Amino acid sequence: GFTITFVNTQVIHHHITKSLPSTSQNDIDNNVVDIFAGAREVGMDIRYRTVSDGFPLSFDRLLNHERYLLEGHMGYLPVQMDKLVGHLVESADPPVSVLIADTFHDWQTTLAKKYDLVSVSFWTEPALVFSLYYHLDLLKINGHYGASHNNREDIVAYIPGIKAIEPNDMPCYIGELDVSTNMHRVLNNAFESVKRADIILCNTVHELEFEPISAIQEKQPMFAIGPLFPSGFTNSLVPTSIKLELDCTEWLNSKLPKSVLYISFGSFVPCGKEEIDEIAHGLVLSKVNFIWVLRPNATSYEEPYVLPNGFENEVKGRGLIVTWTNQIQVISHFAIGGFLTHCGWNSVLESVWHGVPMLCFPLKTDQLTNRKLLVDDWRIGVNLCDKKPLDKFEVAEKINNLMCGKSSDELRVKITKVKEIIKNSLAQDGSSEKNLCQFIRDVKTKISGRPRM
C-alpha cells in the first residue's frame, strides 16, 4: 500500500470546513478540522497538511485573479511547497518517494528533481485539451496562437492525435490576442514543466480519447484513469464541496421521472447578465420543471445577480432556485431528465455516468473544447444557442426539445452507449482500472531504481 500526505491551500481547506454543516465556528477558526479523518477510520493511511498561498483568507482571489496568479500561484506558493516537501523528505516515515501535483503547478517537476522524487503530473481535464496546450509551440509556429497581430482563423489540422479542430473550439486562452497575461504565463510554464514529468495521469477514459492519448504516449507515459468521482454513493469519505449544499431530494421526490431540468454553470466563472436574463425568460416560456443552481456572483464578482422581476412567481411550484447543492445527488435522481451545463469536465463526466443528456452553454477555458466533444464528436449533447446573442425563444425551444422532443430519445440512446464505455473502464478488466494498476507498477519500478540517500 501507499502512505499519502495530501496538501491543500489554507483557503481551500477553510472553504471546505466552512461548508460542513456539523462544524462549529470555533473549530473552523482554530483550524482543527481534519477532512481525512473518515478515510483513516476505514484504514487508509492519509496524512493532511495545509499551506498558505500568501494571501489572507478574506482576500478575493477571483476578483483579483491576475494579482493572485502573480504573487500567490507563481510567487509565494512554490516557496512554501519547497519548504514543505523538503521537510517531508527529511522527516517523513515512511520516506517520501513520489510527488503528484496538478499540471498547472509548474513547481512540481522542479521540486521532484531537487528531492529525487518520482514526478507525476495530474491533469483534470480532457486529453484533447491537454494535447492542445502541450502543443502551444506548434500553434504559435503556425500562427494560431500568440500571433503579433491576429491569429489565423482556419482549421487546425496539424497537431498529433487531433484530426481537425476549429479555433473557436479550442480553450479560450489560445485564441486571445494578448498572451502576456499572468494566466498565459501559468499555461506556458505549466506545459514546459509537464514535459519533464515522469508520468502524466489524466481524468478521462482511454476509449473516448485514444487518439490524443496515444499521440502523447509516443513522447511520455500517460495513463487515462477516469472518471474520478465517487460513483457508487453520494456521500464521500472525504468532503470536497467548498460551499454549503442545500438538499433538493424532497422537492425532486414530488416530480415525475425525467421531468426536471437541472441547471448549473459551475462554481466560479461568471456569465453575462443579459444571457442569464434570457435563460430565465426562456425557462418561463418552456413550462418545464427545473432546479437552478444560481450563485450570488453568477454574473459578477462585485455585485449579486438579481433575477428578472416576477420570475419567481411565474415559475412557482415548478422551479427551485438554490445557491449550491450536491450535484451527484441531484443528477442521479430519477426526476432529472436533462442538464443545462457550462460543460465543466467534472459535470460532463457525472452527467454521462448517470445517463443525463446535456444542453451545452460553455463559458470559458476548456469548456469550449468540452462542448465540441459532447455535441460534435460523441453527440450526447446539443447547443443551447446556435447563434449569438442568446434568445429566450430559442432557449425555450432547446429546453423542450431536450426534455421531451424527438432529439431527446436520440440523445438518450447515444449517452447510454457512452455511459457503458465509461462504466466498463472502471470494471476489474476495464481500461482505467488496468491503467491505474500499471501506473502503480511503474511508480514502484521507478522508486526501486532510484538510489536512496
Side-chain angles (χ1 to χ4, degrees):
F2 286 93
T3 296
I4 297 167
T5 299
F6 192 95
V7 183
N8 244 339
T9 57
Q10 289 171 1
V11 67
I12 293 297
H13 172 77
H14 178 75
H15 284 310
I16 291 173
T17 54
K18 199 169 66 169
S19 72
L20 297 172
S22 58
T23 308
S24 70
Q25 187 61 47
N26 187 55
D27 285 347
I28 294 171
D29 292 341
N30 292 319
N31 197 30
V32 297
V33 181
D34 183 350
I35 64 173
F36 286 95
R40 277 196 299 277
E41 285 174 7
V42 297
M44 298 183 191
D45 189 358
I46 301 181
R47 294 94 187 265
Y48 185 49
R49 301 291 290 270
T50 61
V51 293
S52 171
D53 61 8
F55 290 100
L57 297 176
S58 58
F59 179 77
D60 193 324
R61 290 152 179 81
L62 296 176
L63 186 60
N64 304 283
H65 196 233
E66 281 287 291
R67 182 184 168 195
Y68 162 70
L69 289 176
L70 178 64
E71 298 176 24
H73 183 92
M74 292 188 287
Y76 193 86
L77 186 58
V79 175
Q80 298 307 303
M81 285 307 303
D82 191 351
K83 290 178 182 176
L84 177 59
V85 173
H87 173 71
L88 291 173
V89 167
E90 190 176 286
S91 62
D93 182 24
V96 176
S97 50
V98 184
L99 179 60
I100 303 175
D102 189 293
T103 303
F104 282 112
H105 292 300
D106 64 80
W107 45 259
Q108 192 267 347
T109 52
T110 303
L111 295 188
K113 183 177 181 181
K114 178 178 179 179
Y115 295 108
D116 192 28
L117 306 174
V118 178
S119 167
V120 180
S121 184
F122 175 44
W123 181 246
T124 62
E125 298 171 11
L128 173 59
V129 176
F130 181 93
S131 186
L132 288 167
Y133 286 144
Y134 194 90
H135 293 99
L136 283 176
D137 54 345
L138 268 182
L139 289 164
K140 189 164 188 174
I141 289 167
N142 285 277
H144 283 103
Y145 171 69
S148 55
H149 298 293
N150 290 316
N151 293 330
R152 283 172 56 182
E153 296 181 358
D154 56 330
I155 288 175
V156 176
Y158 49 78
I159 294 179
I162 301 175
K163 287 177 181 173
I165 188 167
E166 297 275 359
N168 288 340
D169 289 331
M170 296 194 291
C172 63
Y173 298 121
I174 293 176
E176 290 175 358
L177 292 179
D178 181 6
V179 295
S180 65
T181 69
N182 290 328
M183 187 63 230
H184 287 88
R185 283 182 61 192
V186 168
L187 268 177
N188 288 319
N189 292 346
F191 280 86
E192 282 304 309
S193 171
V194 77
K195 290 169 184 174
R196 300 190 297 271
D198 292 312
I199 298 172
I200 301 160
L201 296 179
C202 189
N203 184 21
T204 190
V205 176
H206 187 90
E207 288 83 352
L208 294 178
E209 296 199 273
F210 61 90
E211 289 176 324
I213 291 170
S214 298
I216 296 295
Q217 285 175 334
E218 290 182 12
K219 300 177 180 181
Q220 286 177 267
M222 174 184 252
F223 296 103
I225 59 169
L228 295 172
F229 52 80
S231 55
F233 46 87
T234 53
N235 295 315
S236 172
L237 286 171
V238 181
T240 56
S241 179
I242 59 172
K243 299 178 183 180
L244 185 64
E245 298 173 339
L246 285 90
D247 191 344
C248 304
T249 307
E250 188 175 340
W251 188 88
L252 283 166
N253 286 343
S254 69
K255 305 302 177 188
L256 294 172
K258 293 184 171 52
S259 69
V260 177
L261 176 69
Y262 174 62
I263 309 162
S264 176
F265 301 133
S267 56
F268 71 94
V269 176
C271 310
K273 183 183 183 307
E274 295 78 11
E275 293 174 317
I276 295 290
D277 285 347
E278 288 299 304
I279 289 170
H281 293 309
L283 284 166
V284 171
L285 293 171
S286 75
K287 307 297 183 186
V288 163
N289 297 326
F290 65 89
I291 290 179
W292 191 354
V293 178
L294 192 60
R295 310 183 321 265
N297 63 352
T299 59
S300 167
Y301 298 136
E302 299 182 65
E303 56 185 45
Y305 172 72
V306 179
L307 282 159
N309 261 342
F311 174 79
E312 293 182 71
N313 283 334
E314 291 269 12
V315 300
K316 198 170 184 180
R318 68 177 177 88
L320 179 64
I321 301 159
V322 297
T323 54
W324 202 246
T325 190
N326 183 318
Q327 182 160 287
I328 293 180
Q329 196 174 68
V330 170
I331 60 175
S332 63
H333 195 280
F334 67 81
I336 296 296
F339 184 4
L340 171 48
T341 174
H342 66 311
C343 303
W345 189 235
N346 282 338
S347 292
V348 167
L349 292 174
E350 289 165 5
S351 197
V352 173
W353 183 271
H354 294 288
V356 178
M358 285 162 276
L359 198 50
C360 300
F361 182 55
L363 302 173
K364 205 171 181 180
T365 65
D366 64 307
Q367 299 159 17
L368 309 177
T369 313
N370 301 347
R371 182 220 64 84
K372 176 193 182 304
L373 288 172
L374 295 174
V375 177
D376 302 339
D377 298 354
W378 304 340
R379 301 189 180 278
I380 57 174
V382 292
N383 296 322
L384 177 62
C385 56
D386 292 316
K387 57 185 184 299
K388 299 282 185 176
L390 205 59
D391 172 76
K392 62 186 177 183
F393 298 107
E394 185 180 13
V395 169
E397 181 185 2
K398 289 294 185 71
I399 288 172
N400 281 310
N401 286 343
L402 180 80
M403 297 299 290
C404 52
K406 182 185 175 184
S407 63
S408 171
D409 295 333
E410 294 169 355
L411 287 170
R412 289 183 200 285
V413 170
K414 286 170 181 169
I415 203 167
T416 298
K417 292 177 181 176
V418 178
K419 173 183 174 180
E420 284 306 305
I421 291 170
I422 287 183
K423 292 214 168 189
N424 289 341
S425 75
L426 294 182
Q428 191 168 357
D429 60 347
S431 61
S432 291
E433 181 67 18
K434 285 180 177 176
N435 284 339
L436 182 59
C437 293
Q438 186 61 50
F439 160 68
I440 292 170
R441 285 193 293 270
D442 286 3
V443 165
K444 287 182 174 179
T445 299
K446 287 182 180 295
I447 293 170
S448 63
R450 291 184 180 226
R452 303 310 301 172
M453 302 296 289

